Amino acid sequence: MVNKLERLGSRLLGLFVEEVEASACGWYCYNDCWQCAHSACKVNTCNGDLVCLSGRC
């Protein structure tokens, strides 16, 4: 019964709301990273990878 309600809700939602594929992934640059001894760094917003930079962003 719950599965039927979920499918019905999804179909109704699809009638009123467009499908949107959004992604906030990318690299964000900080000029003062404590992880890099307060030098600049870039952080990947999808997986958290951090790259220390020698100069400023």
Side-chain angles (χ1 to χ4, degrees), residues 8 29 37 39 42:
L8 177 63
C29 194
S39 64
K42 290 191 311 183

Side-chain angles (χ1 to χ4, degrees), residues 3-53:
N3 289 336
K4 284 184 179 181
L5 287 173
E6 285 180 354
R7 284 193 301 269
L8 177 63
S10 294
R11 281 186 278 171
L12 284 173
L13 185 62
L15 292 174
F16 299 104
V17 179
E18 294 181 17
E19 184 175 337
V20 176
E21 187 173 325
S23 177
C25 295
W27 289 91
Y28 192 81
C29 194
Y30 295 95
N31 284 317
D32 185 18
C33 298
W34 64 268
Q35 300 94 328
C36 298
H38 294 286
S39 64
C41 68
K42 290 191 311 183
V43 178
N44 186 319
T45 58
C46 291
N47 59 19
D49 284 347
L50 182 122
V51 176
C52 296
L53 305 172

